[in-house]
Amino acid sequence: VQLQASGGGLVQAGGSLRLSCSASGRLYSSAIMGWFRQVPGTDREFVAAIRWGTGKTYYADSVKGRFTVSRESAEYTGYLQMNSLRPEDTAVYYCARGTSYDTDSRAYTNWGKGTQVTVSS
């Protein structure tokens, strides 16, 4: 199963974007869809995650209250709604599959190409 993020773009500070993560195959109920972001020269940073079966969500403190993760199970697609964007949210955003909740990117597999999000001040 390959996961692919899309929907990035350029937005002004305070604006919103909705990212999508499409899975090429079935995601089992126990799977975790994780969202990460990366700025060049730094490690991938955990942003949010959702447990596929129950819909339980997890967020990094830096995005709590601004970002919302969701999923459309029947379409094997996840979403990251990003509101009140800040310049420091600028990064390449990725989605990936995990078997249990973890904020460490090494716990995830099936990474696809990321999508660039740029927030101008």
Side-chain angles (χ1 to χ4, degrees):
V1 176
Q2 192 71 27
L3 275 63
Q4 180 62 55
S6 61
L10 173 64
V11 64
Q12 289 188 331
S16 299
L17 278 176
R18 188 194 197 201
L19 304 185
S20 298
C21 177
S22 298
S24 62
R26 180 180 177 181
L27 290 173
Y28 290 94
S29 61
S30 59
I32 295 284
M33 177 179 282
W35 288 90
F36 289 78
R37 62 188 181 187
Q38 188 172 28
V39 175
T42 68
D43 293 335
R44 285 183 182 175
E45 175 192 16
F46 172 76
V47 176
I50 187 167
R51 188 171 297 280
W52 202 252
T54 63
K56 183 176 175 60
T57 58
Y58 310 86
Y59 296 96
D61 288 343
S62 59
V63 307
K64 202 171 293 183
R66 299 188 298 124
F67 290 11
T68 302
V69 61
S70 62
R71 90 279 193 236
E72 179 56 58
S73 299
E75 297 181 0
Y76 305 130
T77 301
Y79 302 97
L80 184 67
Q81 177 67 43
M82 306 186 296
N83 299 328
S84 302
L85 282 162
R86 305 167 179 167
E88 54 264 38
D89 294 319
T90 295
V92 177
Y93 283 71
Y94 300 86
C95 58
R97 184 182 67 166
T99 56
S100 61
Y101 168 62
D102 202 312
T103 60
D104 190 336
S105 63
R106 293 171 295 182
Y108 293 79
T109 60
N110 305 92
W111 297 87
K113 293 182 180 178
T115 185
Q116 176 70 48
V117 172
T118 303
V119 184
S120 63
S121 57

